[in-house]
Amino acid sequence: MAARELDPQERLDWLRLARTETVGPVTFYALLRRFGSARAALEALPRLSRPVTAMTLRDAETELAGLDRLGAQLVCWGEPDYPAALSAVEDAPPVLTVLGNPALLQVPMVAVVGARNASANGRRIASELAHGLGDAGVVVVSGMARGIDAAAHLGALDNGTVAVVAGRADIVYPPENQNLYDALVERGAVVAELPLGTEPQARHFPRRNRIISGMARGVVVVEAAAKSGSLITARFALEQGREVFAVPGSPLDPRSRGCNDLLRNGATLTETAADILTQLGPFLQSEMPPRAALSVQKKTHLPLLQSLSNPRPILPAEPQIPEDATLELLIEKLSPTPVAVDELVRQCHLLAASIATLLLELELAGRIERHPGNLVSLR
Amino acid sequence: MAARELDPQERLDWLRLARTETVGPVTFYALLRRFGSARAALEALPRLSRPVTAMTLRDAETELAGLDRLGAQLVCWGEPDYPAALSAVEDAPPVLTVLGNPALLQVPMVAVVGARNASANGRRIASELAHGLGDAGVVVVSGMARGIDAAAHLGALDNGTVAVVAGRADIVYPPENQNLYDALVERGAVVAELPLGTEPQARHFPRRNRIISGMARGVVVVEAAAKSGSLITARFALEQGREVFAVPGSPLDPRSRGCNDLLRNGATLTETAADILTQLGPFLQSEMPPRAALSVQKKTHLPLLQSLSNPRPILPAEPQIPEDATLELLIEKLSPTPVAVDELVRQCHLLAASIATLLLELELAGRIERHPGNLVSLR
């Protein structure tokens, strides 16, 4: 990908827009498309029919200074250090905090995840799989949880491993993983979507899992109870078009229930790293093709803007304030159950561009939520 | 199937022809087709260009008397007690020795097989699966070996279970299974292809496995090392169009290697009896469709003859002795590697009926061996 680093001012703009309340990743990219740049979007936010207050410049500068003191860096979508596979995901984080060696994020990755209350055998399998993947030049990504995650990181430490954490990059959670955390910062990398100072909360974990699967070419699940978090990671992986691998186990072991279910539903049975490497061969040798709508155009001075544009012409920078009646019509069609935007276009008899503008308004007003696959729901 | 019992004379003829050296199951049915009845085939054998000596009437009577003393019975292909699913298999044994309750052979069966050196967990799983299958009205068939087989029989004893043994029906092998054997004779059934007095030998076991899979609608493998006998049963099952099920296990347990390989190759992952019942639902409710070429015609007085006839007209009962030159031409085309009979027809520029007669000659002379799928090889 013909990526380039943002200049310091652009980086501040991106950080401010990304950290603005009600601006999730999908909204972030919609704003970039709508207004042409993070700067233009920041300028437009206060003028919307339901004005939105962005992160202040001062808070953004404080965050960057804090990262600098910690030896961490901010990596923005489209920059050279941004993980290649993740950049092709629809709701990829616009900014990532990276501690450790960001060069690892450019190596093809495989996620190894699983139960926190793993068995000794499960940990051994995770460690051996991770080591075998590392020997083949693959970076192992996981979530730094206890059990399988920790074993996978340890097994891959010599070859390169990346932890995606649920809270801030500078927190050691669980505390027993202090040594692992130190080793990851020293020899691997720790990646976080959320700003320094954010304590990990339950609602952060699914999002963390989605970043893990997004960074990886494939997700290997080693021991997982039925309905456990690792299965959510596997579901994300399928949504993102990643290969799912599962290690089989005895029907008498509840920690194998989730893996066996995955196998029943088509996951690749995995006993050794060779099972993964054989299946992923083509993906590991070539880079992931960039998502068409996001591919960078070399000709322009606004590569990111162009890269984020959809096939429709860029709308005028000055937003047209929609009629409240039209907004209400749209709200009527929405419910807490996610619905496809295309379906809304059909049902409302409005142009797709008008619906997009209306949805952006509702999004920024915190009325609706975006979901992958161009779905929206009422909050 | 409109089956009928053979009369005592026919039964003796079938036994004599089936027990004649160089007459395997495929040859047996070919002789029936060629000569119209077991009696006619017995009469023709001494008149062939390479005469064959059949089992004597006296030896056949001795075998039947022995069975009678033991409380066992001879069940011939096409008779009401013959296992329905097995009768659709190309090389089904023409005669079976049955000890215990032959009515069990009419109930839809599932085979549960696996390692002799099974783990305690593996035995528990086999027993629970077998019990669950029995509760659903399925008869469990296995090989009465130690380990998984024995556990499966024990788990199914209350509901009905059938053992297929490799040697004679009256041998207890392994000796530690004496109690199980007694229970099977009392409450289940023991089935053997070979006559009383035959000691089990290594070469009998694959054939025994093929009968197990042939009797079953599906084969469940619980613990099996790589390249073990249970995998041969699974391969037979696939050849016979049966469903294959495997219980997953840890990659660290060598006894799970075979099962995991089966799963990798498309076997249905099995944790509980429900996994099997769901998959086999339609097969267990309806009888297996009889093999077209073997389906019984109600109109005739010779149902077995008709049932065994192929679409070509029955050849005259008096065999035409083939020219030695033609025989040699055919032998030239054969090798120890099995070849399709259709291919021989093409290569020899002879009528299919002529090739069939020549092959029958060679078979009875012990020069060639028949294989399922209409293949033949030079001995």
Side-chain angles (χ1 to χ4, degrees):
Chain A
M1 209 184 309
R4 70 165 181 92
E5 289 202 15
L6 297 181
D7 65 39
Q9 182 58 50
E10 283 177 306
R11 186 180 307 277
L12 274 170
D13 293 339
W14 272 61
L15 181 58
R16 289 181 61 201
L17 189 60
R19 297 283 190 236
T20 296
E21 218 179 333
T22 77
V23 176
V26 175
T27 310
F28 180 95
Y29 299 116
L31 286 167
L32 273 201
R33 277 196 300 271
R34 176 71 179 77
F35 295 105
S37 70
R39 161 57 53 99
L42 287 171
E43 285 168 356
L45 290 181
R47 300 197 315 267
L48 295 176
S49 60
R50 287 159 180 78
V52 170
T53 308
M55 181 195 218
T56 64
L57 179 61
R58 189 196 161 102
D59 284 351
E61 284 170 340
T62 304
E63 178 169 346
L64 286 182
L67 291 177
D68 207 43
R69 275 195 302 279
L70 200 65
Q73 57 181 288
L74 195 75
V75 177
C76 299
W77 187 95
E79 290 195 306
D81 282 342
Y82 197 91
L86 184 60
S87 70
V89 169
E90 189 181 3
D91 58 345
V95 302
L96 286 174
T97 301
V98 180
L99 254 173
N101 179 8
L104 290 175
L105 303 181
Q106 290 316 300
V107 182
M109 288 184 232
V110 167
V112 178
V113 300
R116 285 188 297 277
N117 67 335
S119 70
N121 279 339
R123 285 196 294 267
R124 181 176 145 198
I125 291 167
S127 173
E128 287 179 1
L129 287 176
H131 193 82
L133 289 169
D135 282 347
V138 173
V139 161
V140 170
V141 56
S142 193
M144 214 181 80
R146 59 172 71 90
I148 298 298
D149 285 18
H153 286 306
L154 285 170
L157 209 48
D158 289 342
N159 293 301
T161 181
V162 173
V164 181
V165 294
R168 53 195 163 104
D170 56 340
I171 199 173
V172 180
Y173 180 85
E176 71 205 60
N177 280 351
Q178 180 70 57
N179 288 346
L180 173 60
Y181 177 85
D182 293 343
L184 283 165
V185 172
E186 174 78 19
R187 298 157 65 190
V190 175
V191 172
E193 183 182 23
L194 296 174
L196 297 180
T198 316
E199 294 303 314
Q201 294 172 18
R203 65 190 167 86
H204 296 151
F205 285 87
R207 180 77 194 152
R208 186 270 313 259
N209 293 349
R210 200 170 159 82
I211 296 172
I212 290 175
S213 56
M215 284 169 73
R217 263 61 168 162
V219 172
V220 189
V221 183
V222 187
E223 285 193 346
K227 297 180 187 170
S228 61
S230 307
L231 300 188
I232 295 174
T233 311
R235 205 189 64 218
F236 289 150
L238 288 176
E239 285 176 15
Q240 294 165 342
R242 309 306 193 235
E243 292 287 327
V244 175
F245 301 84
V247 176
S250 167
L252 298 180
D253 186 350
R255 285 172 293 208
S256 293
R257 200 64 50 82
C259 286
N260 290 343
D261 277 343
L262 288 173
L263 291 171
R264 202 181 266 113
N265 292 315
T268 299
L269 190 140
T270 301
E271 293 182 302
T272 66
D275 292 318
I276 303 158
L277 296 166
T278 304
Q279 183 78 6
L280 287 183
F283 285 107
L284 297 177
Q285 273 143 38
S286 66
E287 284 302 294
M288 299 280 276
R291 188 154 59 110
L294 293 178
S295 64
V296 172
Q297 315 280 321
K298 279 188 186 173
K299 291 176 198 163
T300 171
H301 289 289
L302 288 166
L304 278 166
L305 161 63
Q306 288 289 332
S307 75
L308 291 162
S309 70
N310 58 28
R312 290 191 296 275
I314 303 293
L315 298 176
E318 197 66 27
Q320 294 155 322
I321 305 306
E323 300 282 340
D324 269 8
T326 326
L327 261 185
E328 290 310 316
L329 171 73
L330 183 57
I331 288 171
E332 254 177 36
K333 305 285 183 197
L334 291 165
S335 81
T337 307
V339 61
V341 172
D342 290 349
E343 185 59 34
L344 292 173
V345 171
R346 270 193 296 277
Q347 290 199 13
C348 294
H349 306 292
L350 289 171
L351 291 174
S354 309
I355 292 280
T357 303
L358 292 168
L359 287 174
L360 195 50
E361 280 279 317
L362 291 173
E363 232 173 311
L364 293 165
R367 299 286 300 274
I368 64 163
E369 194 175 353
R370 292 269 187 185
H371 306 272
N374 209 17
L375 301 177
V376 290
S377 67
L378 213 55
R379 270 183 198 272
Chain B
M1 207 184 309
R4 69 165 181 93
E5 288 201 17
L6 298 181
D7 66 39
Q9 183 58 52
E10 283 176 307
R11 187 180 307 277
L12 274 170
D13 293 340
W14 272 61
L15 182 58
R16 290 181 60 201
L17 188 59
R19 298 282 190 239
T20 296
E21 220 180 333
T22 78
V23 176
V26 175
T27 311
F28 181 94
Y29 299 115
L31 285 167
L32 274 201
R33 277 196 299 273
R34 175 71 178 79
F35 296 104
S37 70
R39 160 59 52 100
L42 288 170
E43 285 168 356
L45 289 180
R47 301 200 311 268
L48 295 175
S49 59
R50 288 158 179 79
V52 171
T53 307
M55 180 194 219
T56 65
L57 178 61
R58 188 195 161 101
D59 284 349
E61 284 169 340
T62 305
E63 178 169 347
L64 286 181
L67 291 177
D68 208 41
R69 272 194 304 279
L70 200 64
Q73 56 181 288
L74 194 76
V75 177
C76 299
W77 187 95
E79 289 195 305
D81 282 343
Y82 196 91
L86 184 61
S87 70
V89 168
E90 187 181 4
D91 57 346
V95 301
L96 287 174
T97 301
V98 181
L99 253 174
N101 178 8
L104 291 174
L105 303 180
Q106 290 316 301
V107 183
M109 289 185 231
V110 167
V112 178
V113 300
R116 285 188 296 276
N117 68 335
S119 70
N121 279 339
R123 284 196 294 266
R124 182 175 145 198
I125 291 167
S127 173
E128 288 179 1
L129 287 176
H131 192 82
L133 289 169
D135 281 347
V138 174
V139 161
V140 170
V141 56
S142 193
M144 215 182 79
R146 60 171 70 90
I148 297 299
D149 285 18
H153 286 305
L154 284 171
L157 210 47
D158 290 341
N159 293 302
T161 181
V162 173
V164 182
V165 294
R168 53 193 163 106
D170 56 339
I171 198 172
V172 180
Y173 179 84
E176 71 205 61
N177 280 350
Q178 180 70 57
N179 287 346
L180 172 61
Y181 177 86
D182 293 343
L184 283 165
V185 172
E186 175 77 19
R187 299 158 64 190
V190 175
V191 173
E193 183 182 23
L194 297 174
L196 298 180
T198 316
E199 295 302 314
Q201 294 173 18
R203 64 190 169 87
H204 296 151
F205 285 87
R207 179 78 194 151
R208 186 270 312 257
N209 294 349
R210 199 170 160 81
I211 296 171
I212 290 175
S213 56
M215 286 170 70
R217 264 63 168 162
V219 171
V220 189
V221 184
V222 187
E223 286 192 344
K227 296 180 188 169
S228 61
S230 307
L231 300 188
I232 296 174
T233 311
R235 206 190 63 219
F236 289 149
L238 287 177
E239 286 175 14
Q240 294 165 341
R242 309 305 193 234
E243 293 288 326
V244 175
F245 301 83
V247 175
S250 166
L252 298 180
D253 185 349
R255 284 173 294 207
S256 293
R257 200 64 49 82
C259 286
N260 290 343
D261 278 344
L262 287 174
L263 291 171
R264 204 182 264 111
N265 292 316
T268 298
L269 189 140
T270 302
E271 294 182 300
T272 66
D275 292 318
I276 303 157
L277 296 166
T278 304
Q279 183 79 6
L280 287 182
F283 285 106
L284 297 177
Q285 273 143 36
S286 66
E287 284 301 294
M288 299 279 277
R291 189 155 58 112
L294 293 178
S295 65
V296 171
Q297 314 280 320
K298 280 186 184 174
K299 291 176 198 163
T300 170
H301 290 289
L302 288 166
L304 279 165
L305 161 62
Q306 288 289 332
S307 75
L308 291 163
S309 69
N310 58 27
R312 290 191 295 276
I314 303 294
L315 297 177
E318 197 66 26
Q320 295 154 322
I321 306 304
E323 301 282 339
D324 269 7
T326 326
L327 261 185
E328 291 310 317
L329 170 73
L330 183 57
I331 288 170
E332 254 177 37
K333 305 284 183 197
L334 291 166
S335 81
T337 306
V339 61
V341 171
D342 290 349
E343 184 59 34
L344 292 173
V345 171
R346 270 194 295 277
Q347 290 199 14
C348 295
H349 305 291
L350 289 171
L351 290 174
S354 308
I355 292 281
T357 303
L358 292 168
L359 287 174
L360 195 51
E361 281 279 317
L362 291 173
E363 233 173 310
L364 292 165
R367 299 285 300 274
I368 64 164
E369 194 177 352
R370 291 269 186 184
H371 306 273
N374 209 17
L375 301 177
V376 290
S377 67
L378 213 53
R379 270 183 198 273

